[in-house]
């Protein structure tokens, strides 16, 4: 039976912070360019796609940035399709979906932009990934088929980390969208929120994408990385 691709794209804006003008313009660029259905998930529309009871119990304690890290993993495993950050995007994604649908790959993404973009996981694996960054796809825009071995392991590793951190997250829930371990708040206090900036995202995704690089296509689908904040 021929595989039928979910040719829609997920993007998220969670929490209550309003979008900047640049973010709004970035969202409009996505809507105007990709020529595919967009699944725009916010804190108010999340339950239309994801039953709250199905999310990891740590989800409610996460910063909105880390909630987005969790959700991109969750929706790629359960639904498949595309994902993009809200960054300027000028490319039609139909060709990308067609290529993934016809291939034996788990999915596709853009080639990571350089060694400086590799998540700070430390150790020899980070040095190896930096040397071989061309083999790794970036974290900001991609397409995956649902329920592959890749997405299954991605979600499993994500859930394992959240289970390990659940107790500390209950004691130190995120105070704002950009919360991360060790940052200083405006009141001078140091954050005890137990997750580092890329710990739930690139720290899991990059090593997994590197391990599976031969089964993930590299396509020219990156967003722009300037003037989006």
């Amino acid at each position: 039976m021929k595989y039928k691709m979910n040719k829609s794209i997920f993007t998220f804006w969670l929490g209550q912070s309003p979008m900047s003008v640049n973010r709004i313009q970035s969202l409009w660029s996505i809507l105007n360019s990709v020529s595919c259905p967009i699944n725009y998930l916010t804190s108010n529309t999340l339950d239309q796609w994801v039953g709250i009871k199905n999310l990891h119990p740590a989800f409610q304690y996460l910063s909105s940035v880390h909630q987005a890290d969790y959700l991109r993993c969750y929706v790629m495993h359960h639904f498949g399709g595309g994902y993009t950050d809200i960054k300027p995007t000028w490319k039609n994604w139909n060709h990308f979906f067609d290529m993934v649908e016809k291939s034996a790959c788990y999915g596709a993404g853009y080639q990571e932009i350089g060694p400086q973009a590799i998540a700070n996981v430390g150790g020899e694996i980070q040095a190896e990934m930096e040397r071989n960054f061309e083999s790794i796809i970036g974290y900001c825009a991609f397409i995956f088929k649902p329920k592959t071995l890749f997405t299954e392991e991605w979600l499993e590793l994500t859930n394992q980390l959240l289970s390990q951190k659940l107790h500390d997250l209950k004691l130190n829930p995120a105070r704002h969208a950009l919360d991360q371990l060790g940052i200083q708040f405006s009141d001078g206090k140091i954050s005890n929120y137990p997750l580092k900036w890329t710990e739930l995202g690139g720290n899991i995704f990059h090593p997994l994408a590197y391990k599976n690089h031969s089964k993930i296509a590299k396509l020219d689908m990156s967003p722009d990385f300037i003037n989006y904040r």
Side-chain angles (χ1 to χ4, degrees):
M1 184 173 68
K2 185 177 184 296
Y3 174 77
K4 183 67 174 177
M5 188 80 204
N6 170 20
K7 297 182 179 181
S8 67
I9 299 172
F10 289 90
T11 194
F12 314 129
W13 190 261
L14 303 167
Q16 303 304 316
S17 300
M19 280 191 186
S20 66
V21 171
N22 282 346
R23 288 288 190 188
I24 293 171
Q25 291 175 341
S26 296
L27 180 59
W28 276 111
S29 76
I30 296 168
L31 295 171
N32 290 330
S33 301
V34 296
S35 298
C36 301
I38 303 296
N39 308 310
Y40 175 56
L41 274 62
T42 70
S43 298
N44 295 325
T45 64
L46 182 59
D47 60 358
Q48 297 175 17
W49 276 94
V50 179
I52 297 301
K53 66 180 180 180
N54 296 323
L55 299 177
H56 193 283
F59 183 82
Q60 62 185 307
Y61 306 111
L62 299 174
S63 71
S64 57
V65 169
H66 285 145
Q67 286 180 339
D69 285 331
Y70 175 82
L71 283 175
R72 76 183 77 182
C73 171
Y74 184 98
V75 299
M76 287 298 100
H77 180 64
H78 289 288
F79 304 111
Y83 168 82
T84 184
D85 283 357
I86 300 178
K87 293 179 170 68
T89 299
W90 313 110
K91 295 163 185 173
N92 185 315
W93 278 46
N94 280 295
H95 177 60
F96 305 143
F97 279 118
D98 289 343
M99 292 186 68
V100 173
E101 184 176 39
K102 295 173 184 176
S103 77
C105 292
Y106 292 146
Y110 63 93
Q111 177 184 293
E112 194 51 281
I113 60 176
Q116 75 283 358
I118 297 299
N120 186 25
V121 299
E124 175 54 32
I125 184 60
Q126 181 176 347
E128 183 177 340
M129 289 193 297
E130 289 176 354
R131 291 193 300 269
N132 297 282
F133 74 89
E134 299 98 333
S135 299
I136 305 172
I137 64 166
Y139 188 58
C140 299
F142 42 69
I143 292 169
F144 282 104
K145 296 173 182 176
K147 295 181 170 64
T148 64
L149 293 175
F150 178 91
T151 61
E152 182 179 8
E153 185 173 3
W154 185 10
L155 184 58
E156 181 180 351
L157 291 171
T158 299
N159 284 332
Q160 285 177 3
L161 176 62
L162 289 178
S163 294
Q164 292 168 10
K165 301 283 186 176
L166 180 57
H167 176 72
D168 289 340
L169 281 164
K170 288 180 178 179
L171 295 177
N172 300 284
R175 287 180 55 176
H176 61 73
L178 305 180
D179 206 349
Q180 57 182 298
L181 180 64
I183 64 166
Q184 186 173 26
F185 297 119
S186 58
D187 61 9
K189 293 182 179 179
I190 302 299
S191 177
N192 290 316
Y193 175 71
L195 288 168
K196 299 176 184 177
W197 182 247
T198 62
E199 191 170 359
L200 196 63
N203 285 30
I204 296 172
F205 184 82
H206 274 151
L208 192 57
Y210 182 48
K211 183 174 78 170
N212 292 277
H213 68 86
S214 64
K215 298 180 180 179
I216 302 175
K218 314 302 184 294
L219 302 176
D220 183 22
M221 57 192 300
S222 66
D224 288 346
F225 295 98
I226 58 174
N227 298 326
Y228 65 87
R229 292 190 183 278

